Amino acid sequence: MLSKLYMIGWITLTSSAFVSLAVAQSPQIAGTPEQADYPLVAEAVTDDVFVRSGRGPGYYHCGTLDTGDRVTVVEETGGWAKILPRPEHYSWIHKNHVRLNPDDPAVGTVTSDNVRVWAGSDYIEPIRSFSIQARLNAGEVVELFDPAQPETGDYYKIKVPSGGFLWVSSDNLRYVGPFEPEPEPEPEPEPVDVEQPRRTLEERLGVDADTPPTPAARAEQQEEAAEPSPDPEEPDEEPDEPDTEPEPAAPSTETVYLQRCHELIEKINAELQKPMDEQDYSAFKDELAAMLEDPEAGKAKLYAQNLLNRIEGFELALGVTDTLRQQNERLERLRAQIESAHQSRLHQIPDPQQVPLFTGTVRPSFVYSGRAGQQRYLLTDENGRIACYLVPGNMQIENRLKELVNTRIGIRGDIISDPQALVTVVSVTSIVPTD
């Protein structure tokens, strides 16, 4: 019913324009009579004819026509035909300016004045639409295009309101004939309860009212008075009600798929909340792919393709995340290996306290220090050259050096400054065994 009101509104708004719109220039739609009146009906002469949001190729297209598709042309300007939208065309309106009817969610009421309605297209986002089809004021009614509204976004997809038009290049159309609006069905007359005049007793008995009634007539008159008169407001009998209600028509494949797409949106969102290693979208992808292959899916294919694109984005993010996780694991293993090798090398470094200052073979020396009786020793390398002189730092070291004569050892101690010595003199404080 509301769709029919839209069409009536279109015809009403444009009727005055049709009356005054003389043909200012020759029609450019092929086959159109020179003095043709608008509106008129034309059809596409080729496939994939763009229906655009405005007059000119710079406007975005809102769909296509194929050969034989008919349109109602209300005007021609500069080689472009201004047409009434077809059933597949729609518009966008911002949700902030519409309040949906809770009893009928497919219908909404405009809540603001001068609200812009944009020409809708499947090939451009609502926020990027730039062709205004109409402006609505508070209290006007809009009808949602279909129940499959976008889950996200700030716009409702609605049927094109009264006064909204689209454009097609005149070169792609051919004249069919004048526009003839469908006549509105005449309302059925309401049943009238015609009250039949009630005959008097005299009329039914066939006697004159001035003639005294006979005894038989008097008896019948008394019986008539005793009978209750029927209530004229109550029907004699109630109409028969049908035994069974007609079965509702089965929903179309397109409707079933649209409902399923809405269910899959919830399931996909639930899957998205799971840990990444538990997410699995394979079953959803198979079901959506089957919708795309079904020729009866209709507009559900758009929603199925959109959901598939979203799933591919999720899986791509999962793949990137898994790659990063694997790289982090490899990096941690490398760090552990480096740390282990570092600790191994540290253990191989000798204790500074155990590193000898000089290494060589102990030999007795006949050179004595300034203190009487304290003997010095020599430490020679493998070639027999003197590496340093040794002076015992205490009696224990002295006794130990005596025992180690002709033995290879390492020594630690303090270097003594002795200007007369030609080699280094060391006051031995400890002896380090060597292998």
Side-chain angles (χ1 to χ4, degrees):
M1 181 64 183
L2 192 55
S3 300
K4 187 176 292 182
L5 290 176
Y6 279 119
M7 180 60 71
I8 294 173
W10 263 317
I11 301 303
T12 303
L13 284 176
T14 56
S15 59
S16 60
F18 299 153
V19 172
S20 61
L21 215 170
V23 181
Q25 57 183 1
S26 299
Q28 297 186 0
I29 296 177
T32 304
E34 187 67 25
Q35 301 298 326
D37 293 328
Y38 295 93
L40 55 83
V41 178
E43 65 181 8
V45 296
T46 184
D47 292 336
D48 296 328
V49 177
F50 283 143
V51 178
R52 297 192 177 273
S53 63
R55 180 168 58 91
Y59 289 86
Y60 56 88
H61 66 93
C62 304
T64 58
L65 300 176
D66 291 328
T67 304
D69 289 346
R70 295 190 174 187
V71 293
T72 301
V73 181
V74 300
E75 179 184 345
E76 275 193 88
T77 304
W80 289 85
K82 187 177 183 179
I83 69 168
L84 295 181
R86 287 165 53 88
E88 65 266 22
H89 298 137
Y90 61 90
S91 304
W92 296 110
I93 188 170
H94 202 284
K95 293 181 179 179
N96 289 348
H97 304 295
V98 177
R99 181 178 63 252
L100 296 182
N101 186 345
D103 297 328
D104 186 1
V107 177
T109 303
V110 180
T111 59
S112 307
D113 288 333
N114 200 29
V115 178
R116 291 170 291 185
V117 177
W118 308 93
S121 171
D122 293 337
Y123 310 96
I124 186 172
E125 297 178 358
I127 196 172
R128 301 185 183 278
S129 302
F130 56 82
S131 296
I132 300 176
Q133 281 190 309
R135 293 179 183 269
L136 303 180
N137 295 318
E140 296 191 64
V141 177
V142 296
E143 184 179 1
L144 297 188
F145 184 73
D146 56 38
Q149 291 291 308
E151 288 295 322
T152 58
D154 300 325
Y155 292 83
Y156 283 127
K157 189 177 184 180
I158 65 172
K159 294 184 178 180
V160 181
S162 175
F165 300 97
L166 296 170
W167 297 82
V168 177
S169 174
S170 299
D171 294 337
N172 297 316
L173 298 177
R174 176 176 55 209
Y175 177 78
V176 175
F179 174 77
E180 296 180 0
E182 297 181 2
E184 296 185 34
E186 296 182 359
E188 297 181 0
E190 297 181 359
V192 180
D193 186 11
V194 181
E195 184 177 357
Q196 298 292 334
R198 187 176 182 182
R199 295 186 300 165
T200 63
L201 182 60
E202 291 79 5
E203 292 174 338
R204 288 189 284 110
L205 296 176
V207 297
D208 190 357
D210 297 333
T211 304
T214 63
R218 187 180 297 108
E220 186 174 349
Q221 187 176 10
Q222 290 176 354
E223 291 178 1
E224 181 74 19
E227 293 179 0
S229 59
D231 189 353
E233 297 181 357
E234 297 182 0
D236 293 338
E237 59 182 20
E238 297 181 357
D240 294 335
E241 295 183 356
D243 295 336
T244 59
E245 296 182 358
E247 296 183 358
S252 64
T253 302
E254 178 182 9
T255 301
V256 172
Y257 282 162
L258 288 173
Q259 293 175 349
R260 183 54 182 165
C261 284
H262 282 286
E263 296 173 0
L264 288 178
I265 289 174
E266 298 180 359
K267 294 181 178 294
I268 292 172
N269 290 336
E271 194 72 18
L272 192 60
Q273 303 303 318
K274 296 181 180 180
M276 289 188 175
D277 56 347
E278 298 180 8
Q279 295 180 22
D280 184 8
Y281 301 94
S282 55
F284 306 144
K285 291 171 62 178
D286 294 341
E287 187 171 355
L288 292 170
M291 292 184 190
L292 293 177
E293 296 176 358
D294 192 338
E296 298 182 0
K299 294 181 180 178
K301 289 185 177 181
L302 296 175
Y303 295 90
Q305 186 62 59
N306 182 43
L307 290 178
L308 274 176
N309 293 340
R310 291 178 59 187
I311 290 176
E312 290 177 359
F314 297 155
E315 291 181 335
L316 178 61
L318 289 176
V320 172
T321 302
D322 186 61
T323 301
L324 291 176
R325 179 184 59 79
Q326 294 177 3
Q327 291 179 350
N328 288 336
E329 291 177 353
R330 288 196 294 268
L331 182 59
E332 289 298 324
R333 289 195 296 269
L334 288 175
R335 287 176 177 172
Q337 293 174 1
I338 293 173
E339 181 64 22
S340 176
H342 176 66
Q343 294 297 329
S344 177
R345 292 289 180 87
L346 289 178
H347 289 305
Q348 295 175 4
I349 297 176
D351 186 355
Q353 301 296 329
Q354 300 297 325
V355 177
L357 186 61
F358 288 97
T359 303
T361 303
V362 180
R363 305 289 184 186
S365 174
F366 300 101
V367 180
Y368 293 86
S369 66
R371 292 178 294 174
Q374 188 178 17
Q375 185 178 2
R376 288 188 179 185
Y377 293 86
L378 300 176
L379 200 64
T380 60
D381 59 17
E382 59 272 11
N383 296 320
R385 293 191 294 264
I386 298 174
C388 64
Y389 286 111
L390 305 180
V391 177
N394 52 54
M395 289 299 298
Q396 183 179 2
I397 295 298
E398 185 174 357
N399 294 333
R400 185 67 176 146
L401 288 175
K402 289 179 180 180
E403 297 174 355
L404 296 175
V405 170
N406 298 325
T407 304
R408 183 175 175 80
I409 63 172
I411 57 94
R412 291 186 57 81
D414 301 322
I415 296 176
I416 301 174
S417 177
D418 188 350
Q420 296 180 356
L422 299 178
V423 294
T424 304
V425 180
V426 179
S427 175
V428 180
T429 58
S430 61
I431 297 174
V432 181
T434 61
D435 296 334

